[in-house]
Amino acid sequence: MGLSECWKQLSWIYYQYLLVTALYMLEPWERTVFNSLLVSVGAMAVYTCYVFMPQHIMAILHYFEVVQ
């Protein structure tokens, strides 16, 4: 797969994202603000899962006495 084909595929996926979320109706600065907020919320969710999920999993395993 050449670089131009990869770029075309990514452009198509981004276009579909714009259509599905109706972002194509927004101005470029509004689209940037929305995408920034979306990436920020996603990053915070990933970070929270990374930090707190091991504690919760260990608590569940202790509760069901899988781990002593």
Side-chain angles (χ1 to χ4, degrees), residues 1-15:
M1 183 180 264
L3 187 60
S4 63
E5 291 179 25
C6 287
W7 185 254
K8 185 185 276 188
Q9 184 69 24
L10 285 175
S11 297
W12 176 254
I13 291 170
Y14 181 68
Y15 181 67

Side-chain angles (χ1 to χ4, degrees), residues 31-47:
R31 201 177 304 152
T32 302
V33 169
F34 178 81
N35 287 331
S36 299
L37 290 172
L38 185 65
V39 168
S40 297
V41 169
M44 286 188 283
V46 168
Y47 174 75

Side-chain angles (χ1 to χ4, degrees), residues 20 33 43 61 67:
V20 168
V33 169
L61 292 176
V67 174

